[in-house]
Amino acid sequence: MCGIAGQFSFRAEPADKAALAAMIGALSHRGPDGSSTFAEGPVGLAHARLSIIDLAGGWQPIANEDETVWVVFNGEIFNFVELRRQLEQRGHRFRTHSDTEVIVHLYEDLGDDFVDELNGQFAIALWDRSRQRLVLARDRTGIRPLFYTQVDGRLLFASEVKALFTQRAVPRRLDLEGLASTFTYWSVLPPKTVFDGVFSLPPGHRMTVDAAGMRTERYWDWQFPEAMPPARREEECAEELHALLLDAVRLQLRSDVPVGAYLSGGLDSSIITTIIKNHTDTPLRSFSLTFEDAEFDESRHQIELAEFLGTQHSARMCRRADIGNAFARAVWHAETPLVRTAPAPMMLLADSVRAAGYKVVLTGEGADEVFGGYDLFKEAKVRRFLARAPQSKWRGRMLERLYPYLQNSPAAGRAFTQRFFSEGLDQIAEPWFAHIPRMTTTRRTLQFLRPELQPAALGWDPKAALRATLPEGIERWLPQGRDQYVEAHTLMSGYLLSSQGDRMAMAASIEARFPFLDHRVIEFANRLPPQLKLRGLTEKYILKKAMQRELPPSITKRTKQPYRSPDSSSFFRDGQPIEQVAELLSPSRIDAAGVFDAGAVGKLMEKCRLGRALGFGDNMAFVGVLSTMLLHEQFIAPAAGPRQLAAS
């Protein structure tokens, strides 16, 4: 795990070494063990290292034998041992024992198709001296970030936007369309970002850059069947999945430093820790978050599994005050508005992992998207059922089974329930059907924009924007496949793996790894009949079946409780906003930023101060406004100029 940065001049001007040093210096938290640069002709590459594989020899940039191919990369290639063996048999010579070096030799043999052979999580920048071309590539599911912008005839790229902002020529403006996307999908639909003129290479894409320009293409994507797959024995599917998971964990345990694991108390992290314990020689060291609020705390389940496995376990208690104090730092690392506080506790957990002497942790993220674990998939199934049989006697019973972990369940009030589950029934065949309730709830934040900005923001069509990113023929897929695809390409890649994943781990110089996102596991799951993932309203059915012999029944039979943390209540003490919030959301600061309406924000803050925030909508709006103001303070305000907001 590392940070990368670089530049390419379309005018064939020499690389700016001072700019390279400044860019990589901004990423020292991603690579605290040292940095190095390479500059040749129009290209410059820079790397900040977090030493995990080949501690002595794995320094980057790394070249092939005749130094015609150079590479820097952020992440891990988990199957590098197997790839190296194949490459050596084909006559390639290696200078190091690092996973990085397999990239240059694969490129020699396969050209741009080298990415197809990689099992890993990565953002890669490769310079081909012979062809005078730069190749950028990002892993299949978007675990590792890669941003870019063009300025003064140069392409600048980096693992984080703050590295791009070290260059004075790069403008610092919030993008109104980016804000509208964030306040709909919790993240910006790629390739755009929340910063005007700054773009993100989408997951599963590569870009080639030369004097003629830039060309981007997709090399991998999630695929789902149009017709019901042929029936298969459940036992056979469970056995195949079990073997795949074992191999995915085995590969992701490869490291020359100790590896730990997150243990939330839920099914997914329990599976990862159980596989480590039962099927590898890796000492099992686990870490978890606990909360003072019983609604969010899962410590009982964490302790149960830690005792069951005999793991060396430690927990990081997270209080509301901790979240309030850490939130600004979380926004600085996320580099985007947040609509939930959940990233902040994850950052504090990563701090505790680093303090314990660990650089690498395995996590259960991704299982819900791959195996149909979220409430969203259940909601969509219920809503489709209601559209077909609105008067069914089973309706009430189905709704009662949803959200057992929520104090204020959407299924608790009859009138609200009717509105919630009836919303969007005229769009039942659309790819975004499952996401309509979430989109509606989150978009309430747009009401707090300044009046003159609202027409453009509300006029941005989130469904048209999403459709432009979807594959041809998605309408013919089975409904659950459509639901899973949209979830994987919005919430998962844009928020969970970024704001709550990579960024919070790297804030503490920690590498998080995601065995459930091994592309072989995804491709296997996508071929399964939908009922093997969501059986009735039982989520992740085949995953539970694959692991039922190794886990306590209390884990496999437990209804999923999504990870959440206290939101607006984290920013008030004894009925008053904490100092930073009071200052940042004061009318004068709101007006100076020019993004939100001071009067509307004041009413929202008073509502939250009195503890009268209504459900997800008010909480998301408050956190969204606060995080946007923090983002403006951290990244936009330091730039010169009046209004720092770009309308798309």
Side-chain angles (χ1 to χ4, degrees):
M1 175 57 70
C2 309
I4 64 172
Q7 55 184 269
F8 177 86
S9 171
F10 295 103
R11 303 169 183 165
E13 297 172 341
D16 186 336
K17 295 181 180 179
L20 277 178
M23 291 170 70
I24 206 62
L27 302 178
S28 59
H29 55 285
R30 297 187 72 93
D33 296 330
S35 63
S36 52
T37 61
F38 165 82
E40 179 183 81
V43 74
L45 305 176
H47 182 258
R49 188 180 187 206
L50 179 65
S51 304
I52 291 174
I53 299 288
D54 190 6
L55 305 187
W59 292 90
Q60 303 179 35
I62 281 181
N64 61 345
E65 298 94 328
D66 61 4
E67 298 189 345
T68 57
V69 179
W70 289 82
V71 71
V72 290
F73 111 101
N74 161 33
E76 303 291 346
I77 307 303
F78 299 121
N79 63 334
F80 78 98
V81 174
E82 293 78 9
L83 291 174
R84 178 184 176 122
R85 190 179 303 124
Q86 296 168 14
L87 289 163
E88 287 176 330
Q89 291 172 353
R90 297 203 290 263
H92 292 274
R93 300 190 310 275
F94 284 75
R95 301 172 183 171
T96 75
H97 296 284
S98 72
D99 57 334
T100 311
E101 197 172 359
V102 303
I103 297 172
V104 293
H105 296 301
L106 275 176
Y107 178 79
E108 287 181 293
D109 281 4
L110 304 176
D112 294 350
D113 291 336
F114 77 96
V115 289
D116 296 332
E117 302 299 313
L118 303 180
N119 183 327
Q121 46 194 50
F122 51 81
I124 297 170
L126 181 148
W127 170 241
D128 183 336
R129 173 193 289 169
S130 302
R131 300 173 65 183
Q132 291 288 288
R133 68 199 293 263
L134 177 70
V135 179
L136 303 178
R138 192 169 174 213
D139 66 66
R140 294 171 176 85
T141 55
I143 296 171
R144 302 303 164 211
L146 189 58
F147 298 95
Y148 62 93
T149 189
Q150 291 187 68
V151 63
D152 294 341
R154 293 180 188 269
L155 172 73
L156 304 179
F157 61 89
S159 296
E160 297 184 13
V161 178
K162 57 179 64 68
L164 304 178
F165 283 163
T166 63
Q167 304 307 297
R168 282 181 164 273
V170 177
R172 300 190 183 196
R173 293 188 297 268
L174 291 177
D175 183 88
L176 186 58
E177 183 178 305
L179 286 177
S181 180
T182 302
F183 296 146
T184 303
Y185 294 112
W186 297 27
S187 64
V188 185
L189 297 175
K192 298 199 70 156
T193 72
V194 76
F195 296 108
D196 181 44
V198 176
F199 301 91
S200 170
L201 185 64
H205 281 67
R206 63 178 164 237
M207 175 190 291
T208 54
V209 186
D210 56 26
M214 302 155 44
R215 293 163 299 283
T216 302
E217 61 179 345
R218 186 191 299 274
Y219 68 86
W220 186 89
D221 200 8
W222 300 55
Q223 295 291 328
F224 292 89
E226 296 181 9
M228 190 65 68
R232 293 182 60 188
R233 291 177 54 249
E234 289 182 7
E235 292 73 15
E236 175 188 329
C237 294
E239 290 174 7
E240 185 176 348
L241 175 57
H242 188 270
L244 273 174
L245 291 174
L246 261 58
D247 196 55
V249 171
R250 176 185 65 84
L251 289 180
Q252 297 202 20
L253 286 172
R254 285 177 170 169
S255 171
D256 292 333
V257 299
V259 179
Y262 284 159
L263 182 58
S264 70
L267 176 69
D268 310 331
S269 63
S270 298
I271 287 174
I272 301 302
T273 51
T274 297
I275 290 175
I276 295 173
K277 174 67 175 181
N278 294 349
H279 300 278
T280 77
D281 296 326
T282 302
L284 183 51
R285 178 74 166 88
S286 57
F287 302 88
S288 66
L289 270 174
T290 63
F291 292 92
E292 60 182 348
D293 298 81
E295 182 181 357
F296 308 104
D297 186 61
E298 298 183 74
S299 58
R300 178 169 61 88
H301 304 286
Q302 296 163 3
I303 293 170
E304 177 189 359
L305 193 70
E307 292 178 348
F308 178 79
L309 294 175
T311 175
Q312 182 185 354
H313 182 72
S314 60
R316 205 298 187 182
M317 166 60 76
C318 188
R319 298 173 174 81
R320 295 180 183 183
D322 298 328
I323 296 172
N325 293 335
F327 192 66
R329 179 178 161 227
V331 172
W332 165 255
H333 285 287
E335 297 182 328
T336 190
L338 303 173
V339 296
R340 306 300 293 269
T341 62
M346 293 303 298
M347 181 181 67
L348 297 176
L349 177 60
D351 287 341
S352 68
V353 172
R354 184 70 185 196
Y358 282 73
K359 293 181 178 181
V360 182
V361 288
L362 268 60
T363 170
E365 197 67 75
D368 291 305
E369 291 81 4
V370 176
F371 294 102
Y374 284 131
D375 290 335
L376 175 141
F377 302 128
K378 298 180 189 179
E379 289 171 3
K381 192 167 188 175
V382 170
R383 290 165 61 224
R384 288 186 178 105
F385 174 80
L386 294 181
R388 295 194 306 270
Q391 305 305 321
S392 170
K393 65 180 181 179
W394 292 100
R395 169 178 168 173
R397 295 183 184 180
M398 292 178 72
L399 299 183
E400 288 169 5
R401 291 183 57 189
L402 295 175
Y403 324 113
Y405 54 87
L406 287 181
Q407 290 182 353
N408 298 302
S409 168
R414 180 171 298 178
F416 179 83
T417 299
Q418 180 65 31
R419 291 196 306 272
F420 183 84
F421 287 98
S422 299
E423 191 167 11
L425 292 186
D426 58 330
Q427 303 174 62
I428 196 168
E430 298 290 357
W432 52 76
F433 170 75
H435 296 74
I436 291 173
R438 180 194 293 160
M439 292 162 59
T440 303
T441 300
T442 311
R443 279 176 68 81
R444 286 186 55 193
T445 307
L446 296 176
Q447 300 172 8
F448 296 92
L449 292 173
R450 294 176 68 91
E452 63 268 27
L453 298 178
Q454 288 194 27
L458 293 171
W460 176 76
D461 187 343
K463 296 167 186 174
L466 177 64
R467 184 179 288 282
T469 70
L470 300 177
E472 185 178 351
I474 189 174
E475 296 85 0
R476 297 190 297 271
W477 292 357
L478 297 175
Q480 189 173 307
R482 300 196 299 262
D483 299 345
Q484 287 184 250
Y485 185 95
V486 173
E487 185 73 355
H489 290 72
T490 54
L491 189 81
M492 186 187 81
S493 61
Y495 171 75
L496 292 175
L497 295 180
S498 177
S499 297
Q500 199 165 290
D502 171 88
R503 301 311 192 84
M504 297 304 105
M506 291 312 304
S509 304
I510 291 294
E511 174 180 287
R513 298 180 177 181
F514 307 84
F516 285 113
L517 294 179
D518 183 308
H519 68 280
R520 300 170 302 165
V521 175
I522 296 174
E523 290 166 356
F524 166 80
N526 290 358
R527 294 191 297 267
L528 292 174
Q531 66 268 25
L532 287 185
K533 289 178 278 189
L534 185 58
R535 172 70 62 90
L537 292 182
T538 299
E539 72 277 3
K540 295 182 284 196
Y541 175 81
I542 194 65
L543 185 58
K544 293 175 180 177
K545 191 172 185 65
M547 295 299 299
Q548 64 185 359
R549 296 177 185 174
E550 300 187 51
L551 290 170
S554 58
I555 296 294
T556 57
K557 294 181 179 180
R558 181 186 172 210
T559 301
K560 177 180 174 57
Q561 177 176 333
Y563 162 65
R564 299 177 302 126
S565 63
D567 286 316
S568 63
S569 61
S570 301
F571 303 99
F572 296 87
R573 305 283 181 274
D574 301 322
Q576 295 299 321
I578 60 177
E579 183 178 358
Q580 183 185 41
V581 171
E583 293 177 358
L584 203 59
L585 299 188
S586 66
S588 59
R589 296 283 283 276
I590 292 285
D591 286 338
V595 179
F596 297 107
D597 179 77
V601 171
K603 292 177 182 177
L604 176 64
M605 187 160 74
E606 181 66 7
K607 196 174 185 181
C608 293
R609 184 185 73 81
L610 296 173
R612 296 176 181 171
L614 297 178
F616 293 145
D618 285 345
N619 276 286
M620 283 183 179
F622 182 85
V623 175
V625 169
L626 176 61
S627 60
T628 304
M629 287 296 295
L630 283 166
L631 196 74
H632 186 278
E633 192 81 4
Q634 295 166 346
F635 293 99
I636 308 303
R643 178 66 56 83
Q644 299 296 325
L645 181 69
S648 302

